[in-house]
Amino acid sequence: MSCQLCVLSRFQNIASVKKFFFPASRDSTPDIAQSNEGDENWEADWGWNEDANESADTVESTDLPDNGKQKWFQECILSLSPTNDMVAIAHGDKIVVLAQKWDPKHKGEDIESKFSIQWQNSLKQEESETITALMCLPLASQKRSTQGGPDWTCVIVGFSSGYIRMYTETGVLLLSQLLHAEAVQKLKCRTYEPPRFLGMSELHEELVILYKRAVVSIDGFSLFQSLRACRNQVARATASGSETMLQPPPLAYKKWALQDQDKINDLVSSGVQSSNPFDQMKTASLLGGFSATVKTSPPAASIYLTAGVGPYVGFFHAMEGSTQPILSDVAMAVANKIKTALMSAASGWLGFGGRQKDEAKDKSPKIEPATPLPYRYGLPDQRRTGDSLSLSPSCKYAAFTDGFGRVTLVDVERGIAIRMWKGYRDAQVGWIQVREDDGSGSRNRDHSRVAQFLVIYAPRRGILEVWTAANGPRVAAFNVSKWCQLVCPSSGMMGLNNVTSRGVKSRAFQCALVDPEGFVKTLEVPFHLALSDKSSKRARDLHLLKKLKAILKENAESTDSLESTIKDLILDMRISNITKQAVERVLSTKYLSSTLMKNVLKVCIQKISGKADATLDIDSKLFLRFCQAQDNLLHTYKMVEKFTSRGDVASGSAEESNTEMVARSLGLTWSEAQGVVAQLDKFSSSADTAEPRVKFKEQAMAVSTFLHCFTCHLHCSDHDSSRPVTVSVHKGLSEDRRLALAHLFFHSCCCGEAASGDVSIVLQDANLPADQIIDLLLVYWMSSDERSVTSLPNLMHLIKTVTAMTDKSEVLVDHNIASPWWQKIRDVCCHSQNIRAVYILALAARAVAMEIFGSQTKAKDPDADTASLSSDKTDMSEWESLAVDMEHWNLLIKQLEDVLALSFLIHLRLPANERSPYGPKPALDPIRLSVLKLLEGGRGSISEVVAQYIIRLQLQPQSLYKHLLSTSTDSDDAAMDIEPAAEATEAHEQSCLEKIQDHLAELRVRFPHSLENDILLSNCCWEYAVQWNKDPELISYLQLSLEYLKLVQNAVLRQGLCSMMWHMYVLKRVTAAATLMEKVGKAPKERLCRKDVGMSDATLISFMENVADLLQVAMDANCEANEVPVFNLEQLWQQIRGPASLVELAVDQKATNYHLVRHHYHLAVSMHAVMLFNMKSVKVLSLFDTKGRNSFFKDLHSHPLLPNQNVDSALSVSRRTFLCKVISEAISTLEKRGEDASVSPRRQQKTVAFRWPVLAVDLGKDFGLDIDYLKRHHVCQLYSAGRDKLAEEVLLTVNDHELMGSQLLPIAGQRVAYFLFRCDQPGTGKIMSDMSPSLSTWLKQLDPEELVSPDAPMSDTALLLEHVANQLPEGYSEYNLAISLVELVQLLLSLSSETKC
């Protein structure tokens, strides 16, 4: 809390610096001056009436044994960079530059980096030239990746010859300028500082150079750009060794000749300022008299303050726009040979074009004349000589030192001296600006209060003092060495602006003291020291507050001694605002007990209540009300904690059943109560089968957390001083914290651990708004779905209590108007997803509303009380129907019953050990239901929810209906497909599926319109397609989607679904697959399929099959004629709003073009064949002509120009070859004879070998090909495979018998040749010898290897030859050969029969 002198950095070896400057002096280590910091004792008496005129000499330094050995340090010129990264020290013509370097020897210490010598040398370039001014100027980096540090630091040196030279950190000369032919006296710089308030003018950057009779002001932006350009040129020249240079941008500066002052020792610029309108008019009147004219806007001027002789203090105003800036060419020095920093600077060129150094000496640079600047006003004192001056950071005050040992404080704006200190000979002054930190963090720090402190270093007395500007006392004093230098840079980093300055700390210190021992020390001054004597109570209380925070941080448990310490500290505070902060800190400490907090509040209340009301200020009254409010909250917390820990079970009839309790509490009939209990029990049983959830033990809420949940609205006036303070729940409270607060209030009551009456009393005493209490109750009750109906009486009592606390105008309204109170509760019920808890709450709230409504009716009509005693319950229904609120409650409860039934279905699960035949189930988000979700989900929200549940279980269409298993046309095949799984299914699994089917049937009765068969099947189809589109590898989902699609009865709806699926999910992938297959000319590999289509090659086969099925369904739906269906909604759900349902969108789709769909079907079948049989050298799009290719992938409802059957003969041959290849590949998939005898005919029809030849013939028919050719090819392939029975079936459909017989004759001959020549049968030799030569020669020419199965039985061959003989006419050329072959086969059959015998 006091001012401190801290070590910022230090020199690594300052003795080497001294040795460089004074090589002849003896190196001795002087004694280190021990500085005793003037740390005030905060615990001592504060002395409220302290004397403001206390002598400034109370803290004097003791005589140190310096003996002048350290005087060398003050004889040097020193400049410390504002960023504390570089120090420059000069004496005579020598200079030493030191930079911060990390010292590994001092790792872990407070100061790990120290100033070490970067370079040192003599800078004299002219005879008897010495260094007279020095400055280290850091330049900001233009890179975004920097962390706020300077890019590099420029060393600016002023010489007695008038030259200004600028060097890099390594001593490379960048610029050398002669702007005036006099010695440089001072170098002052001003950099960018963001304005404190909006509307204030920004201070422009500039470098001010003071000569004896002139002042040069260099524009900061011009200097920054020139230095950057010169440094880049030096770096480029050093790297390449080239002398070719580019001209850097010129320096823009203004040059003034200060007049009417005899001698100027120091100067500072306070920036561009403009006078206020009053001063402007006053000046105009004094100069121009009555007829003077006044400009509309005050003129702006650059103000320069000077310290010197005649006058002592001078003010010069340079009007803006009175003179144009001078542009001077930059004289740049580029290194030729980089041996040392000095050599590189001395041996470089000046200027450009290769001029040598001697040439530059011969030709002196041009010096621009100065513009006269007259003296405006000042402080005349003939005998006083001003030595130095320092401007405050706010530019409001300036401190001057003179030859008489005085320090004078001058008000810059008014131009008068406002304070003077004496006894400070050879003093050095500086400034420190401190911002107030209120600790809240809510207020903008730039707008906080600012204090100015004047730092005075008196070297002859060895004392460093800190004074409050302008009229404040001395706040600190330190004994220091007599040979130090006070450094107070007026600038920061150059090159910043309003954008780049954000988050950048341009200064590491404001005022530093450098001692000859090599230590750099800074002052840390707290803001409260700037407060006046009247506010010193605040400083004291702030100290006590800080001490209290430290004590609370050091301890970890609540003890009696800690309580006593806290009380003493708080009672010792005198300002109410700070005392309130202390109490808030105590209340926010987690480990403190509620008893301790209550005792602290008690003593605070007693302290303030003991004073008269007239003596209390507004802060004390507000603090008293704050303590009373917190004390009331603590009382509430202790009461809740008391009956929670007691755990008393509320009294009630233990023998009363749930049905009786519901009927008694809600006023329902026995049958209605049974229905309510049955629904809740049914939901509980389904919830038990759901996935288990992990529960953690809930921890009690700490008292500090409880208090943090509330906000006290403090206000104080005469008429409401007795009213309790309004307390409300914090608006920014998190959901978890709000739930914990609600749990603390209501858990014990709702669980039966505390009586509802006790909780009601606590709620009434808490002074919380009724709407916030009901919000907490709703948050707690709806936080879990495991609420029991046994909590219904307590819940009703709580609702009734809170309703009684609210404004009656919100509850008791007209019958035709909905009550805002009950409407708010209904809205919350509609939003909640815990349906069981919401249902119980809605029943309880309706019962309370009904009771209040009944009492309201009785109050309006006293005679109605006697009449109601003799009336039955039908009378209640008569007045109940008149209230809008009752209608809303009844509607909501009916809707909740529907949602509860849906939730019961969603909680049903199949056994976890059941393995899905469609692969792993995707990870989908759980289905969340609420009344609002169904109301805003659109007209198809109910069917969408059921469909989403079905796809999560991967149910097949036949699993939704019990009767579908026996009536479906595909039931036999489906039973065969799932036969292995059905055998492994246990009775428990069947019971789970039957339970789902039964509840689906109940839901169809509850939702006859939303769950209509076509609507449910359509939504299931769509949901499966959506899931497949998310993961195309799950091709089984697309298959299930088509299964549901085929069961949709209405053709218009089915056609619309096909169109939507094609355009949204299928078209893009089919296009990519067709393009890929056309490009590669074969079935693509997996890598290409995944890259272009997004699925594997194996999945692509099934995908194309499903695409063909989808197009087939679309064609079938197009051929059927159905009316457009009308979709209705249930009466309870007429208020549904939102997007259109799926079935409505499907019905609105345009009718498809049958021929275009058929055209795409041909492509899909062709692509499927290529992928399935892995065919090569087939380009699927090339099977179609130009018209056909152009009409592909159009909208199915469009009518493009389609191809006909009159195509080019080459294309027809290509198509016929492709289809024949398909038939051959299909026949090759047949199993060997005898292996498929067990396969049923129905199952046999779906095999590849039986299905694809039929598809090929259909394609050939659509292509206009010769169908008989394809059939003959099919028959030949079957006989070649030895499948004679199947071939005979196809043979009956062939029309061209002669050609068929001629094609079958070689097959029969190949079989006979295989039997004669390849099989070693006895007696075949004699038969061959008896054979005719023509037949023998023909048989030998045949190759039996061309047949797939040449070893067919001879009986089958004989039957084949009979068919050949019957097919060929008698006059046919091959007829005789066929007859001879028939006789030969008959002979072989007889021979084989004799052999068996």
Side-chain angles (χ1 to χ4, degrees), residues 797-809:
H797 190 275
L798 291 175
I799 296 176
K800 190 182 302 182
T801 301
V802 180
T803 305
M805 295 170 57
T806 190
D807 189 3
K808 293 184 179 180
S809 62

Side-chain angles (χ1 to χ4, degrees), residues 40 58 204 207 223 270 280 392 448 470 513 542 547 588 633 685 774 776 810 889 901 937 1069 1157 1190 1240 1246 1334 1397:
E40 287 85 355
T58 55
H204 297 286
L207 175 65
L223 177 63
S270 62
Q280 179 191 8
S392 67
S448 58
L513 185 72
L542 287 173
K547 186 175 181 180
S588 63
L633 287 176
S685 62
I774 198 66
L776 292 176
E810 296 185 2
W889 277 120
R1069 299 186 188 277
V1157 176
N1190 293 335
S1240 64
K1246 291 199 172 185
S1334 59
C1397 294

Side-chain angles (χ1 to χ4, degrees), residues 24 124 145 219 272 288 308 356 494 565 609 617 688 785 814 829 857 961 1183 1324:
K124 181 174 65 174
S145 60
D219 180 67
V272 179
Q356 299 297 329
M494 178 171 281
T565 304
S609 300
D617 57 355
D688 295 339
D785 215 14
D814 189 75
C829 292
T857 306
Y961 309 91
L1183 297 176
T1324 55

Side-chain angles (χ1 to χ4, degrees), residues 1241-1257:
R1242 182 180 294 273
R1243 181 68 181 274
Q1244 206 175 45
Q1245 289 179 359
K1246 291 199 172 185
T1247 60
V1248 173
F1250 289 89
R1251 188 166 62 93
W1252 275 101
V1254 178
L1255 288 176
V1257 171

Side-chain angles (χ1 to χ4, degrees), residues 724-756:
V725 181
T726 304
V727 180
S728 62
V729 180
H730 198 282
K731 291 183 178 180
L733 203 62
S734 63
E735 295 297 330
D736 295 338
R737 190 69 61 83
R738 189 180 298 272
L739 177 59
L741 180 63
H743 186 276
L744 177 68
F745 274 117
F746 304 110
H747 178 71
S748 57
C749 178
C750 294
C751 293
E753 298 176 358
S756 57

